[in-house]
Amino acid sequence: MHPAAPLDSPPSPPRPRKSRAALTAAFLCVPSVLLILLVELEWRPLRTLDGDIARTTHRWALAHDGLTHASRILTDWVWDPWTMRALITVAAVWLVFRGAYWLALWLAVTCAVGTVVQQGLKAAVDKPRPVWPDPVDSAHFAAFPSGHALTATVVCGLLLWLLRVYGAGPALWRTGVTIAVVSVVGVGVTRIWNGVHWPSDVVGGWLLGSLMVALAIATYAYRPGARTTALV
């Protein structure tokens, strides 16, 4: 007879859920790779679309100081990548206290890999950021992909999955989904509004972040037979 698994360990995943994650990852690979190629090849229709949207939003940003100020606060503090990483750190520490050491490590490693992928692609593609005669914000390093969008997508995706694993109740789940969607979409919008990223940079961050979450879920090594305590 096998000994009982620790109460706070994550459960064995249903096979269909892992299969869906793998299929999602495979599906996301196609647009992610395609967008990288189009950006690297400087495909003219994409560059034209990027420029049209960026110029329009920059005019709006200059005309609406209050919104622009709020956008800078949100992107530089609330949705900053370091804020997102701090959330993952808090979640990992919480898991360690519950005895789910492997899951805590998995969260930390996935987030770290996201940062490596982001920086590696920035260096490889080396896409210039928008340049304005009257900028409302500034940023460093190459443009593609948006680190803010990628990090927010990875962190919010992982935290939502963690809520699902630990059996979050309907109210908590709906709240988590709402916050995640607002954060991921919002951070992308603020990067374009502030004039520090092209739209394709943000879309690339969203796609690559989603791909990493799907791959992480599909490949996570659960401990068979483990159980979990449901969240309220």
Side-chain angles (χ1 to χ4, degrees), residues 14 24 106 135-136 160 172 191 222 228-229:
T24 301
W106 174 82
V136 300
L160 281 180
L172 181 57
R191 300 310 283 167
Y222 294 81
T228 186
T229 301

PDB file of all heavy atoms in Angstrom, residues 14 24 106 135-136 160 172 191 222 228-229:
ATOM      1  N   PRO A  14      -5.555  15.782 -15.304  1.00  0.00           N
ATOM      2  CA  PRO A  14      -6.310  14.997 -16.255  1.00  0.00           C
ATOM      3  C   PRO A  14      -5.570  14.970 -17.586  1.00  0.00           C
ATOM      4  O   PRO A  14      -5.089  16.003 -18.052  1.00  0.00           O
ATOM      5  CB  PRO A  14      -7.637  15.761 -16.384  1.00  0.00           C
ATOM      6  CG  PRO A  14      -7.676  16.691 -15.220  1.00  0.00           C
ATOM      7  CD  PRO A  14      -6.259  16.981 -14.870  1.00  0.00           C
ATOM      8  N   THR A  24      -2.460  23.407 -27.900  1.00  0.00           N
ATOM      9  CA  THR A  24      -2.410  24.865 -27.890  1.00  0.00           C
ATOM     10  C   THR A  24      -1.005  25.360 -28.206  1.00  0.00           C
ATOM     11  O   THR A  24      -0.819  26.307 -28.970  1.00  0.00           O
ATOM     12  CB  THR A  24      -2.862  25.411 -26.522  1.00  0.00           C
ATOM     13  OG1 THR A  24      -4.190  24.971 -26.253  1.00  0.00           O
ATOM     14  CG2 THR A  24      -2.798  26.930 -26.500  1.00  0.00           C
ATOM     15  N   TRP A 106       9.286  24.954 -10.556  1.00  0.00           N
ATOM     16  CA  TRP A 106       8.778  24.997 -11.925  1.00  0.00           C
ATOM     17  C   TRP A 106       8.309  26.402 -12.296  1.00  0.00           C
ATOM     18  O   TRP A 106       8.605  26.899 -13.389  1.00  0.00           O
ATOM     19  CB  TRP A 106       7.651  23.979 -12.060  1.00  0.00           C
ATOM     20  CG  TRP A 106       6.923  23.996 -13.359  1.00  0.00           C
ATOM     21  CD1 TRP A 106       7.277  23.403 -14.536  1.00  0.00           C
ATOM     22  CD2 TRP A 106       5.672  24.643 -13.626  1.00  0.00           C
ATOM     23  NE1 TRP A 106       6.344  23.633 -15.502  1.00  0.00           N
ATOM     24  CE2 TRP A 106       5.341  24.388 -14.968  1.00  0.00           C
ATOM     25  CE3 TRP A 106       4.800  25.398 -12.837  1.00  0.00           C
ATOM     26  CZ2 TRP A 106       4.178  24.871 -15.551  1.00  0.00           C
ATOM     27  CZ3 TRP A 106       3.637  25.881 -13.408  1.00  0.00           C
ATOM     28  CH2 TRP A 106       3.339  25.613 -14.753  1.00  0.00           C
ATOM     29  N   PRO A 135       8.811  62.679 -27.536  1.00  0.00           N
ATOM     30  CA  PRO A 135       8.430  61.444 -26.842  1.00  0.00           C
ATOM     31  C   PRO A 135       7.724  61.712 -25.512  1.00  0.00           C
ATOM     32  O   PRO A 135       7.979  62.728 -24.859  1.00  0.00           O
ATOM     33  CB  PRO A 135       9.767  60.743 -26.613  1.00  0.00           C
ATOM     34  CG  PRO A 135      10.777  61.843 -26.596  1.00  0.00           C
ATOM     35  CD  PRO A 135      10.265  62.877 -27.558  1.00  0.00           C
ATOM     36  N   VAL A 136       6.843  60.788 -25.129  1.00  0.00           N
ATOM     37  CA  VAL A 136       6.174  60.887 -23.829  1.00  0.00           C
ATOM     38  C   VAL A 136       6.749  59.887 -22.828  1.00  0.00           C
ATOM     39  O   VAL A 136       6.414  59.917 -21.643  1.00  0.00           O
ATOM     40  CB  VAL A 136       4.650  60.657 -23.973  1.00  0.00           C
ATOM     41  CG1 VAL A 136       4.048  61.699 -24.898  1.00  0.00           C
ATOM     42  CG2 VAL A 136       4.343  59.250 -24.476  1.00  0.00           C
ATOM     43  N   LEU A 160      -2.941  31.877 -13.229  1.00  0.00           N
ATOM     44  CA  LEU A 160      -4.276  31.348 -13.492  1.00  0.00           C
ATOM     45  C   LEU A 160      -4.269  29.828 -13.458  1.00  0.00           C
ATOM     46  O   LEU A 160      -5.172  29.193 -12.896  1.00  0.00           O
ATOM     47  CB  LEU A 160      -4.778  31.838 -14.856  1.00  0.00           C
ATOM     48  CG  LEU A 160      -5.315  33.257 -14.940  1.00  0.00           C
ATOM     49  CD1 LEU A 160      -5.769  33.565 -16.364  1.00  0.00           C
ATOM     50  CD2 LEU A 160      -6.474  33.462 -13.960  1.00  0.00           C
ATOM     51  N   LEU A 172     -13.274  33.385  -6.959  1.00  0.00           N
ATOM     52  CA  LEU A 172     -11.836  33.652  -7.046  1.00  0.00           C
ATOM     53  C   LEU A 172     -11.342  33.468  -8.473  1.00  0.00           C
ATOM     54  O   LEU A 172     -10.509  34.237  -8.960  1.00  0.00           O
ATOM     55  CB  LEU A 172     -11.075  32.734  -6.080  1.00  0.00           C
ATOM     56  CG  LEU A 172      -9.558  32.898  -6.037  1.00  0.00           C
ATOM     57  CD1 LEU A 172      -9.170  34.328  -5.704  1.00  0.00           C
ATOM     58  CD2 LEU A 172      -8.952  31.925  -5.022  1.00  0.00           C
ATOM     59  N   ARG A 191       2.148  50.156 -23.702  1.00  0.00           N
ATOM     60  CA  ARG A 191       3.448  50.211 -24.388  1.00  0.00           C
ATOM     61  C   ARG A 191       3.318  50.899 -25.743  1.00  0.00           C
ATOM     62  O   ARG A 191       4.203  51.650 -26.162  1.00  0.00           O
ATOM     63  CB  ARG A 191       4.024  48.800 -24.576  1.00  0.00           C
ATOM     64  CG  ARG A 191       4.250  48.030 -23.289  1.00  0.00           C
ATOM     65  CD  ARG A 191       5.011  48.827 -22.254  1.00  0.00           C
ATOM     66  NE  ARG A 191       6.440  48.889 -22.542  1.00  0.00           N
ATOM     67  CZ  ARG A 191       7.277  49.709 -21.952  1.00  0.00           C
ATOM     68  NH1 ARG A 191       6.832  50.584 -21.058  1.00  0.00           N
ATOM     69  NH2 ARG A 191       8.561  49.696 -22.247  1.00  0.00           N
ATOM     70  N   TYR A 222       4.033  16.210 -13.036  1.00  0.00           N
ATOM     71  CA  TYR A 222       3.252  16.058 -11.809  1.00  0.00           C
ATOM     72  C   TYR A 222       3.680  14.801 -11.066  1.00  0.00           C
ATOM     73  O   TYR A 222       4.199  13.855 -11.650  1.00  0.00           O
ATOM     74  CB  TYR A 222       1.767  15.904 -12.133  1.00  0.00           C
ATOM     75  CG  TYR A 222       1.113  17.094 -12.737  1.00  0.00           C
ATOM     76  CD1 TYR A 222       1.245  17.347 -14.088  1.00  0.00           C
ATOM     77  CD2 TYR A 222       0.353  17.954 -11.963  1.00  0.00           C
ATOM     78  CE1 TYR A 222       0.616  18.433 -14.656  1.00  0.00           C
ATOM     79  CE2 TYR A 222      -0.281  19.042 -12.527  1.00  0.00           C
ATOM     80  CZ  TYR A 222      -0.141  19.275 -13.879  1.00  0.00           C
ATOM     81  OH  TYR A 222      -0.762  20.341 -14.437  1.00  0.00           O
ATOM     82  N   THR A 228      -4.628  17.824  -3.372  1.00  0.00           N
ATOM     83  CA  THR A 228      -4.465  19.231  -3.043  1.00  0.00           C
ATOM     84  C   THR A 228      -5.598  19.727  -2.174  1.00  0.00           C
ATOM     85  O   THR A 228      -6.681  19.157  -2.185  1.00  0.00           O
ATOM     86  CB  THR A 228      -4.398  20.104  -4.321  1.00  0.00           C
ATOM     87  OG1 THR A 228      -4.098  21.434  -3.939  1.00  0.00           O
ATOM     88  CG2 THR A 228      -5.702  20.092  -5.078  1.00  0.00           C
ATOM     89  N   THR A 229      -5.349  20.778  -1.447  1.00  0.00           N
ATOM     90  CA  THR A 229      -6.390  21.431  -0.678  1.00  0.00           C
ATOM     91  C   THR A 229      -7.016  22.509  -1.538  1.00  0.00           C
ATOM     92  O   THR A 229      -6.306  23.365  -2.090  1.00  0.00           O
ATOM     93  CB  THR A 229      -5.797  22.082   0.584  1.00  0.00           C
ATOM     94  OG1 THR A 229      -5.162  21.076   1.355  1.00  0.00           O
ATOM     95  CG2 THR A 229      -6.895  22.745   1.404  1.00  0.00           C
TER      96      THR A 229
END
